[in-house]
Amino acid sequence: MKKYIIVFASMSGNTEEMADLISESIREEGIDLTVTDVLEADPSDLEEYDGILLGAYTWGDGDLPDEFFVFYDEMDGLNLTGKKAAVFGSCDSSYPAYGAAVDILMKKLQDLGADIVLEGLKVELDPIGEDEELCKKFGKDFVSKYSIEVSF
Ligand SMILES: Cc1cc2nc3c(=O)[nH]c(=O)nc-3n(C[C@H](O)[C@H](O)[C@H](O)COP(=O)(O)O)c2cc1C
């Protein structure tokens, strides 16, 4: 059975709500999914999973949340070749660097060899209405994508 992991940071709960919706839709597809707060996660664990999803709100002036700093730095040296990956996060369009943390994490995963299979999902504040559906679709679409590294 395929194993996926979601690692997220959420200060006021919006990104966590996204993680919940995405998790629900992934588990509906029969995937063995681990969901963990970034502060409880060890980056080397990522190598054990077939699919990696990172979730982060954006802080400061287009920065990663503080909670992600150590995890981000400790990802250096991982080999994520052959893993599929995607990134999501809650954002606020009143800031100029809209959802920049999502882009930072996508670049990191790509640099480590992961195959980014979906565009980053940026949701304005809390995922309600249409955004709720987008989160569920993001989870389903992630399951249905194959890493280009997979050989048949
Ligand atoms: C001090 C501060 C700085 C922020 N900077 C940004 C930013 O640069 N870009 C952005 O899209 N959102 C920014 N935000 C908005 C948060 O990302 C947004 O409130 C998000 O919903 C928080 O997610 P969470 O509920 O998962 O913690 C900022 C919020 C605060 C309070």
Side-chain angles (χ1 to χ4, degrees):
M1 188 196 272
K2 293 280 183 201
K3 282 173 63 183
Y4 294 179
I5 186 167
I6 294 181
V7 178
F8 71 93
S10 183
M11 189 171 56
S12 51
N14 296 333
T15 306
E16 185 167 12
E17 275 181 48
M18 293 180 74
D20 287 346
L21 292 162
I22 293 166
S23 307
E24 200 183 295
S25 64
I26 288 178
R27 289 197 171 116
E28 278 171 10
E29 300 300 311
I31 302 285
D32 176 358
L33 174 70
T34 299
V35 183
T36 175
D37 187 292
V38 70
L39 293 175
E40 320 258 302
D42 183 336
S44 62
D45 292 347
L46 296 181
E47 291 182 323
E48 292 167 26
Y49 293 87
D50 307 293
I52 299 165
L53 292 128
L54 301 182
Y57 64 95
T58 300
W59 191 243
D61 183 14
D63 301 325
L64 283 178
D66 289 1
E67 306 93 288
F68 243 104
F69 284 170
V70 173
F71 187 91
Y72 179 88
D73 287 342
E74 290 183 353
M75 284 172 79
D76 287 342
L78 295 181
N79 179 3
L80 302 182
T81 305
K83 314 273 182 201
K84 64 175 174 178
V87 184
F88 61 93
S90 170
C91 323
D92 183 343
S93 57
S94 67
Y95 291 86
Y98 184 70
V102 171
D103 304 322
I104 293 168
L105 291 175
M106 289 208 301
K107 166 123 192 12
K108 183 72 156 194
L109 287 164
Q110 203 161 32
D111 287 349
L112 298 173
D115 182 18
I116 306 292
V117 295
L118 295 175
E119 268 183 48
L121 178 62
K122 299 180 182 181
V123 159
E124 179 78 3
L125 301 172
D126 54 336
I128 47 170
E130 206 174 285
D131 286 334
E132 184 175 342
E133 296 312 313
L134 280 180
C135 289
K136 291 182 186 166
K137 184 172 182 315
F138 188 78
K140 297 271 184 241
D141 286 349
F142 187 76
V143 174
S144 68
K145 295 277 181 182
Y146 285 98
S147 163
I148 51 166
E149 300 293 335
V150 171
S151 51
F152 295 93

